[in-house]
Amino acid sequence: MQVDSNDTLSERAELHFLAALVDELMRKLLHSGVLSQAQLNEIEQQVSHRVGHSPRAW
């Protein structure tokens, strides 16, 4: 299957946008006291396990 490089760049840009959006949401949840740092670390652990990457520390 041939992939158009413009589609790949567009998809990559969208993923980066979504990742930044999630990051900002998690920061707001932490700073507003909705979730604790431990809860955010737990979420990060679960997500990193699903996607196969190392978790970030909150």
Side-chain angles (χ1 to χ4, degrees):
M1 179 165 66
Q2 191 172 9
V3 177
D4 186 359
S5 64
N6 289 336
D7 288 344
T8 302
L9 290 174
S10 176
E11 290 170 358
R12 184 173 293 167
E14 190 171 335
L15 284 174
H16 282 284
F17 173 77
L18 291 173
L21 189 64
V22 168
D23 190 63
E24 187 63 25
L25 175 61
M26 290 177 79
R27 286 183 200 284
K28 296 273 185 198
L29 291 171
L30 176 63
H31 293 301
S32 65
V34 174
L35 292 175
S36 69
Q37 188 172 4
Q39 289 170 311
L40 289 175
N41 282 329
E42 184 179 331
I43 292 167
E44 189 74 30
Q45 285 281 343
Q46 291 172 4
V47 170
S48 68
H49 179 71
R50 287 184 185 178
V51 298
H53 291 285
S54 298
R56 300 174 301 162
W58 283 93

